[in-house]
Amino acid sequence: MKDILIKFKDHPKYDTIVSWGKLISITGSAQVIVQGVGFFSGILIIRLLSVHEYAFYTLANTMLGAMSVLSDGGISTGVLAQGGKVWENKKELGKVLVTGLEMRKKFAVISLIVSLPILLYLLLHNGAGWMTSILIVLSIIPAFYATLSDSLLEIPLKLNQSILPLQRNQVIVGFGRLFMVASTIFLFPFAYLSILTSGLARIYGNIRLKKHTNVYADTSETEDPVVKKEISSIVKKSLPGLIYYCFSGQISTWIISIFGNPASIAQIGALGRISSIITLLMVIFSILIVPRFARIQNQPHKLLRYYTKILIGMTIILLLIVACTYLFSDQILWILGSNYKKLNIELVLLITGTAITTIMAAALQLALSRGWVLKYYISISGSLLPIIVSCFLFNISTLEGILYLNILVALVQMLVHVSYGYYKILELNKNHKS
């Protein structure tokens, strides 16, 4: 036994295995806490808000996601791609980060002007009064303000694989949100207060996060015109597709909000909370895998090997999650409460669609980390066509029909983005040989 341990330690891959084991254990344990606390906060909200209030909460959070995508416009992708080139230089990385932050501020104004009137209309359309609608619209502004910087401030820590401070900050934000939700929702079960508490917790987290970011990136630097030009180039390629995806990414909620009813909106929002385990997987993926893939030099064979291993591993994990959802759907639905029982088929359909979307998102993140941006007319066509076909195939006024639509769209998008990643690697290999 002792000889086996000695041989194992002498193996050339030993240090790599130990290093990855530490990173995964730190990231995984922290994210289990973060997602667990977030899940518990979400369950409190689901159980204590009325069906109508939770429908309004779902609409507001869906719009917040769209606003975040619009205000980013591909800037975070550009910052990651440019930061990956200078990640060891604090001054240069600071220039990249500051340039990205300044660009996001300008995009944020446009995002607010476009999104808030749409949210107001949807709330009124689904039975919210004027006072309730205005309070909900105002409550998402702090959360939106926090999204302008948190995703960018995390990039220097991710590139330098400084995982512990990043995870600690996320844990603090998660517990802060839980405390604020628990302190208010029992007495005041209103959607706007639940949204507001989340935003305030994230703002506090960003203040802490900036202190850690300053260790690796000098945020006192000014905008760099050269970096801005490079990021703008990625933004121009990404923006048309992102504008489309900020709405098509939550197409099920948007369609239900127009053709369905508040109960269906609440149901799809509640079922979506169960997908937090997949969110945990994607968070670990974006922290550990994507930055390392971004740092690989232009070595086609190495990129191909890593790209394939990553996608196969992700697919196996997601298949296990779908199987467990099918086997234990009754127990999972019990967690959501009596308002959402007997949604077994809908639950399995939603998790299946989410799993397929996650594989697509993984391939997309890997490609974007290399600065590979799929032409927007290809990506939009790959989503728009299955949406049109689904409208004829499925009854989109029902929750089940919407979930089938979601699966078909996700499947086509997954094939498009996974194939594009392989295409870029093979193209790189061809150029490398030339």
Side-chain angles (χ1 to χ4, degrees), residues 78-116:
V79 171
L80 179 60
Q82 295 302 309
K85 300 175 183 178
V86 296
W87 65 280
E88 295 177 295
N89 188 316
K90 181 177 179 179
K91 185 175 180 180
E92 293 301 317
L93 186 55
K95 290 180 181 179
V96 174
L97 179 61
V98 170
T99 302
L101 288 169
E102 290 300 318
M103 292 177 70
R104 283 207 77 170
K105 290 177 183 177
K106 297 171 184 176
F107 277 60
V109 176
I110 300 172
S111 178
L112 282 170
I113 293 171
V114 172
S115 304
L116 293 186

Side-chain angles (χ1 to χ4, degrees), residues 244 247-256 259 268 346 349-350 352-354 356-357 382-414:
Y244 174 75
F247 295 104
S248 68
Q250 294 290 337
I251 189 66
S252 51
T253 303
W254 299 128
I255 293 177
I256 281 288
F259 299 104
I268 199 168
E346 289 84 354
L349 290 175
L350 183 134
T352 300
T354 304
I356 298 171
T357 301
S383 176
L384 192 58
L385 288 176
I387 289 174
I388 294 172
V389 171
S390 296
C391 289
F392 290 98
L393 293 177
F394 310 120
N395 182 3
I396 60 172
S397 64
T398 66
L399 179 58
E400 188 174 336
I402 285 295
L403 294 174
Y404 277 119
L405 177 149
N406 193 43
I407 290 173
L408 181 59
V409 173
L411 187 60
V412 173
Q413 282 291 295
M414 181 196 71

Side-chain angles (χ1 to χ4, degrees), residues 34 49 66 68 83 88-89 111 149 152 180 273 307 309 328 346 350 360 391 421-422 424-425:
V34 170
L49 291 185
S68 301
E88 295 177 295
N89 188 316
S111 178
S149 55
L152 295 182
M180 295 177 74
R273 177 59 57 183
Y307 186 74
K309 284 182 178 179
F328 302 104
E346 289 84 354
L350 183 134
M360 180 277 290
C391 289
Y422 279 113
K424 291 300 292 185
I425 294 172

Side-chain angles (χ1 to χ4, degrees), residues 220-294:
S220 65
E221 291 291 330
T222 56
E223 281 187 273
D224 188 315
V226 176
V227 172
K228 187 174 182 179
K229 184 179 179 181
E230 292 293 331
I231 295 176
S232 297
S233 176
I234 293 177
V235 169
K236 288 177 182 177
K237 295 177 184 177
S238 306
L239 190 57
L242 287 171
I243 291 173
Y244 174 75
Y245 278 118
C246 72
F247 295 104
S248 68
Q250 294 290 337
I251 189 66
S252 51
T253 303
W254 299 128
I255 293 177
I256 281 288
S257 67
I258 296 171
F259 299 104
N261 53 63
S264 295
I265 298 172
Q267 287 171 352
I268 199 168
L271 291 175
R273 177 59 57 183
I274 301 300
S275 65
S276 61
I277 188 171
I278 297 180
T279 303
L280 167 63
L281 180 64
M282 279 305 297
V283 171
I284 295 174
F285 178 81
S286 64
I287 292 174
L288 294 183
I289 307 300
V290 175
R292 289 171 178 268
F293 192 77

Side-chain angles (χ1 to χ4, degrees), residues 20 23-35 158 161 163 166-167 170 276-292 310 314 317 365:
W20 272 100
L23 282 173
I24 292 172
S25 62
I26 292 171
T27 306
S29 58
Q31 283 305 312
V32 166
I33 296 172
V34 170
Q35 296 301 326
K158 289 179 180 179
Q161 291 292 276
I163 305 302
L166 183 61
Q167 301 298 322
Q170 291 179 350
S276 61
I277 188 171
I278 297 180
T279 303
L280 167 63
L281 180 64
M282 279 305 297
V283 171
I284 295 174
F285 178 81
S286 64
I287 292 174
L288 294 183
I289 307 300
V290 175
R292 289 171 178 268
I310 290 167
M314 182 75 76
I317 293 170
Q365 282 195 37

Side-chain angles (χ1 to χ4, degrees), residues 41 44-49 180-190 193-194:
S41 299
L44 268 180
I45 294 169
I46 290 171
R47 283 181 167 268
L48 295 176
L49 291 185
M180 295 177 74
V181 167
S183 301
T184 57
I185 198 167
F186 287 99
L187 296 176
F188 307 101
F190 302 115
L193 276 179
S194 299

